[in-house]
Amino acid sequence: MSQEDERLQRAFLARVIEPGDEVCGRWLRAVGAAEAVRRLVAGGERPRGVTDKRWAGLRARAARADPERDLAVAREAGTRFVCPGDPEWPAQLDDLGDTRPTGLWVRGRPSLRIWALRSVAVVGARACTEYGAHMAAMLGAGLAERGWVVVSGGAYGVDGATHRGALGAGGATVAVLACGVDRPYPRGHTELITRIAEQGLVVGELPPGDHPTPSRFILRNRVIAALTRGTVVVEAAYRSGALVTARAAQRLGRFAMGVPGPVTSGLSAGVHELLRGEAVLVTDAADVAELVGDIGELAPDRRGPVLPRDLLDPGAGRVLAALPARGLAEAEDIARGAGTTTDDAVGRLYELRSLGFVERHGDGWKLTRQAMISVRGDRSEC
């Protein structure tokens, strides 16, 4: 059987079998696409575990399926149908086993397989906070600037902010929809999804014209998880589809990451619960790239600003720390506090004076005003 025949049969099955149907997926794997189509059209042995009522429903769908028409409509909309066996099929989707998509409808010019090789998902709440939108946009832009393909679901909130961040950085982004890719959803994101299709890719399991349902949104998330190297959750309540994506990623052996938020925010509660498990805390694109990237893609060391006192020789630093925050001290007392000799302390004090840290007043020494601010800041961290 040719690959084009396989494509036609799988386009037929995409109209009949719901995304993520494990029972039908197992049946399809066992009998093959051609035999599955034959049995649905002409009648025959049904999949094990399918009731009479359900089998009748599947056959009723099959009676209305017209894969040639679906493929023609897709072509007119600049969409292609990619299925297992095609050069463009991302092999990592095979990790889904019997819930693997029958095929994917792809809108956009780039190769889905090539783009998926270096991709990261960023997902989160639809009704996100300003903080969540800011973090999502920052992650989308930062990952795109590092050469990563940013994948999300095209929804309001975190998804939309992520896509916009990647597009704004001139990067690559993929929207995985829970409906036909020719019918952007939500409608308020029609312009955004159109732009993604022009600059990136819009992907979905459902054939042209199909509409989303709550269950299809949830099942769509497994594709996002399987397609990418890891999933970042920005904001999510306890009952959130974004957490479903992250947990699917964990089951598939991908990385699950979370961006922490205020402990007082219900939209961060689900993320914090995820982080209490095996998910990894990340705060920016560098953290994500270090985790999911190749050897050598390291995030920069995290540290506070470098202060002048940080550049002092350790001996001079100990002498500086031995001076009181206020008032004068004699060299002998400073030496005792620094654990050194008086002669060494005096030498260090003159060095510190030349650097503007201390002043001499008769036999005593005191911190300059600038040094007092510096030392107070250092001691307040303890």
Side-chain angles (χ1 to χ4, degrees):
M1 181 175 62
S2 72
Q3 186 62 23
E4 289 310 307
D5 289 338
E6 178 82 7
R7 189 184 324 283
L8 187 65
Q9 289 156 358
R10 284 183 171 271
F12 176 97
L13 294 169
R15 181 63 77 178
V16 176
I17 299 172
E18 277 292 309
D21 186 330
E22 190 170 3
V23 171
C24 286
R26 189 179 306 115
W27 176 59
L28 176 59
R29 176 170 54 82
V31 304
E35 179 62 15
V37 170
R38 189 195 68 76
R39 293 185 191 182
L40 283 163
V41 172
E45 186 181 350
R46 76 188 73 173
R48 184 175 299 175
V50 171
T51 63
D52 291 344
K53 183 178 179 180
R54 189 173 172 208
W55 182 241
L58 289 170
R59 293 205 61 204
R61 281 189 174 189
R64 295 192 300 271
D66 187 348
E68 291 179 340
R69 179 180 177 277
D70 283 341
L71 290 169
V73 169
R75 278 193 298 273
E76 290 175 8
T79 300
R80 58 194 178 277
F81 185 61
V82 177
C83 59
D86 284 340
E88 195 181 350
W89 179 256
Q92 58 266 49
L93 290 177
D94 298 341
D95 293 345
L96 290 168
D98 292 331
T99 66
R100 179 183 71 172
T102 304
L104 289 175
W105 304 86
V106 181
R107 182 179 164 199
R109 289 185 295 274
S111 165
L112 177 61
R113 182 183 70 83
I114 297 300
W115 272 30
L117 291 174
R118 188 176 165 84
S119 64
V120 179
V122 180
V123 296
R126 285 176 172 79
C128 67
T129 66
E130 185 177 341
Y131 164 79
H134 170 77
M135 291 302 301
M138 188 179 75
L139 283 167
L143 287 164
E145 287 168 354
R146 285 168 171 78
W148 288 89
V149 175
V150 182
V151 179
S152 198
Y156 292 131
V158 165
D159 288 14
T162 299
H163 290 305
R164 289 189 180 95
L167 291 169
T173 189
V174 177
V176 182
L177 304 186
C179 56
V181 298
D182 61 330
R183 299 181 67 178
Y185 186 89
R187 291 188 182 276
H189 272 181
T190 298
E191 185 177 342
L192 173 63
I193 292 171
T194 300
R195 187 180 170 199
I196 294 170
E198 291 170 350
Q199 296 182 221
L201 291 170
V202 177
V203 177
E205 293 179 76
L206 292 160
D210 253 14
H211 60 86
T213 64
S215 64
R216 286 172 171 179
F217 280 118
I218 294 299
L219 290 164
R220 176 272 311 272
N221 294 340
R222 82 194 194 287
V223 176
I224 295 177
L227 202 59
T228 55
R229 290 198 193 181
T231 295
V232 184
V233 182
V234 176
E235 283 187 322
Y238 283 122
R239 291 173 58 84
S240 169
L243 297 182
V244 172
T245 311
R247 288 170 182 147
Q250 289 176 315
R251 288 194 299 273
L252 291 165
R254 316 292 200 261
F255 293 102
M257 296 156 277
V259 176
V263 296
T264 53
S265 171
L267 284 175
S268 291
V271 180
H272 295 161
E273 186 66 21
L274 190 68
L275 290 171
R276 291 179 65 192
E278 296 181 1
V280 179
L281 186 152
V282 294
T283 59
D284 59 18
D287 286 346
V288 177
E290 179 178 61
L291 189 64
V292 303
D294 299 321
I295 293 173
E297 290 190 57
L298 300 177
D301 292 336
R302 311 293 182 175
R303 56 173 297 166
V306 177
L307 300 175
R309 68 174 184 272
D310 297 330
L311 305 177
L312 292 174
D313 175 89
R318 285 192 293 272
V319 169
L320 180 64
L323 272 86
R326 295 183 182 279
L328 297 170
E330 294 188 358
E332 292 82 356
D333 296 328
I334 296 169
R336 201 162 31 249
T340 188
T341 65
T342 301
D343 289 344
D344 180 59
V346 169
R348 300 288 190 183
L349 286 165
Y350 277 108
E351 177 187 340
L352 291 168
R353 187 177 73 168
S354 70
L355 296 171
F357 285 98
V358 300
E359 300 170 343
R360 181 176 179 182
H361 295 269
D363 292 333
W365 296 83
K366 65 179 292 187
L367 295 170
T368 61
R369 187 172 183 279
Q370 187 58 40
M372 287 175 65
I373 296 170
S374 177
V375 171
R376 274 198 217 108
D378 189 41
R379 289 173 180 169
S380 69
E381 295 171 5
C382 299

